[in-house]
Amino acid sequence: QVQLVESGGGLVQAGDSLRLSCAASGLTLDRYTVGWFRQAPGKEREFVGSISWERGAQSYAAAVKGRFTASRDNAKNTAYLQMNSLKPEDTAAYYCAVKLFATAVGMGRPDAGIDYWGKGTLVTVSS
């Protein structure tokens, strides 16, 4: 059974940093591109960033580019999202997702065809 478990969310102040983790089980993460998505209250889920299975290419939404960094440790079957200079508008539930052999850019497309989703971790940024 495949599971993606996010952790690392919490309540922080504007300007602070957080690192989210996405621990995978039931699959070998090195064949999967990992995407990060978020959903704020009353809004649709949106793409945040991704890191590809091959050579670690990355893609980011404009709203987080330069502040967020995706990484992965295939030996630990875990992916990460480092979030710096957090803003109140970053408040959302954050989800990791994976797709076999996808491109980093492809994860951000509406028709990405995600294989598996995590259940999310909540990030709250106070002003």
Side-chain angles (χ1 to χ4, degrees):
Q1 181 180 2
V2 174
Q3 280 193 312
L4 300 176
V5 180
E6 302 93 336
S7 61
L11 172 63
V12 296
Q13 293 188 329
D16 286 350
S17 298
L18 277 176
R19 189 178 79 156
L20 305 183
S21 298
C22 173
S25 60
L27 57 78
T28 304
L29 195 61
D30 63 2
R31 301 179 182 185
Y32 289 82
T33 289
V34 179
W36 290 92
F37 299 79
R38 67 186 181 186
Q39 187 168 19
K43 295 188 176 181
E44 292 188 355
R45 186 166 56 196
E46 63 177 0
F47 172 75
V48 174
S50 59
I51 182 164
S52 73
W53 68 279
E54 187 180 34
R55 291 190 284 272
Q58 297 165 46
S59 179
Y60 297 97
V64 306
K65 202 167 186 178
R67 299 188 297 123
F68 290 12
T69 303
S71 63
R72 59 194 300 153
D73 185 338
N74 290 334
K76 295 183 178 180
N77 234 31
T78 300
Y80 305 95
L81 183 68
Q82 178 67 42
M83 306 186 296
N84 297 330
S85 303
L86 283 161
K87 304 176 181 179
E89 51 264 43
D90 294 319
T91 294
Y94 282 72
Y95 302 87
C96 66
V98 298
K99 181 171 174 61
L100 188 67
F101 299 142
T103 64
V105 172
M107 289 294 278
R109 298 191 177 120
D111 61 348
I114 299 297
D115 291 326
Y116 302 102
W117 289 93
K119 293 186 177 181
T121 185
L122 186 61
V123 173
T124 304
V125 185
S126 64
S127 57

